Amino acid sequence: MNFLAHLLLSGEDPELLVGNFIADHVKGNAKYLYPERIRLGIELHRKIDHFTDTHPITTESKALIYPTQKKYAPVVVDLYYDHFLAANFNQFSSKQLPDFTSFCYTILSNHYDMLPAEIQSFLPFMIERNWLSNYATVDGIGRSLKGLSRRVNFENQMHLADEDLLRHYPNLERHFHSFFPELINFVESFHHETLPQNKA
């Protein structure tokens, strides 16, 4: 999953949210350099990624776009799923999408000094361009994919991924709505089994 899903699945816990957001930029045991609940957010992020990457439904989604996207299909599907989450946000949260994104931007800004350098460099741009809310439209997710395509060092077709999204939209949307409730249940188990015993 991409930024929006990871943030939502943090349960509005500020430190868990920060950890979940920065996890891709925290390698291996470097997680132990952070306070306990940020570390737990990093661990939650990794569990979410493993659950997502190995799930048969996401495998179906990746297969749909593999002819175009090749090894970047998992990255593209993560962004597609954030699009479907943003476009249907009221089904999964009691907050409106603009209110939730504002909450996230505030939490991340308040923890700016704790963020890895790579995130410090793009967070202001992310907030200014309001990436999270813009995921709700095909044009918005298309801009994110084109930007990602430019930042990747290797040849890729992510600048065409919005066309793949439109081509396979009904199937990808169906995949998301089948998969995301399962991911929510998985994360709720993590919250129930792991977090209470670490609050003391």
Side-chain angles (χ1 to χ4, degrees):
M1 305 304 292
N2 203 57
F3 290 133
L4 183 60
H6 279 290
L7 292 167
L8 179 64
L9 294 168
S10 299
E12 298 189 15
D13 179 311
E15 290 187 302
L16 204 67
L17 185 150
V18 170
N20 210 336
F21 184 75
I22 69 174
D24 283 338
H25 298 272
V26 179
K27 304 305 180 185
N29 289 332
K31 66 183 181 180
Y32 292 108
L33 300 174
Y34 292 89
E36 182 181 32
R37 292 188 71 76
I38 292 181
R39 174 179 61 78
L40 287 169
I42 294 168
E43 292 175 359
L44 173 59
H45 180 109
R46 293 174 181 175
K47 289 181 181 295
I48 289 170
D49 280 356
H50 179 74
F51 182 88
T52 301
D53 292 344
T54 59
H55 199 284
I57 293 176
T58 62
T59 299
E60 287 187 55
S61 293
K62 288 177 280 192
L64 285 175
I65 62 170
Y66 184 82
T68 305
Q69 300 303 327
K70 308 299 185 194
K71 67 179 181 180
Y72 292 105
V75 177
V76 173
V77 167
D78 281 349
L79 277 159
Y80 287 168
Y81 281 20
D82 255 19
H83 162 66
F84 292 119
L85 174 57
N88 299 277
F89 198 75
N90 291 345
Q91 296 183 28
F92 303 102
S93 175
S94 60
K95 288 183 179 290
Q96 298 296 312
L97 180 60
D99 294 334
F100 179 74
T101 59
S102 178
F103 166 79
C104 292
Y105 294 147
T106 298
I107 295 298
L108 295 171
S109 297
N110 288 345
H111 290 80
Y112 185 83
D113 290 344
M114 301 185 70
L115 305 178
E118 298 93 334
I119 294 180
Q120 288 181 343
S121 68
F122 75 68
L123 181 64
F125 184 78
M126 178 183 187
I127 295 172
E128 179 187 352
R129 298 294 179 92
N130 197 10
W131 290 359
L132 297 176
S133 288
N134 286 335
Y135 288 163
T137 67
V138 173
D139 284 346
I141 206 70
R143 286 193 296 273
S144 292
L145 287 159
K146 287 177 173 62
L148 183 59
S149 176
R150 290 191 294 270
R151 293 193 297 274
V152 170
N153 292 328
F154 300 100
E155 183 178 352
N156 67 85
Q157 298 294 316
M158 283 188 283
H159 61 288
L160 302 176
D162 53 346
E163 298 175 15
D164 288 330
L165 174 60
L166 291 173
R167 186 178 302 113
H168 301 290
Y169 202 96
N171 284 331
L172 290 165
E173 185 175 34
R174 175 174 54 83
H175 291 170
F176 168 79
H177 283 289
S178 297
F179 168 76
F180 201 66
E182 292 190 30
L183 178 58
I184 290 173
N185 289 337
F186 172 78
V187 171
E188 286 177 349
S189 296
F190 175 89
H191 283 287
H192 177 72
E193 296 171 5
T194 305
L195 298 182
Q197 62 188 8
N198 286 280
K199 285 184 177 178

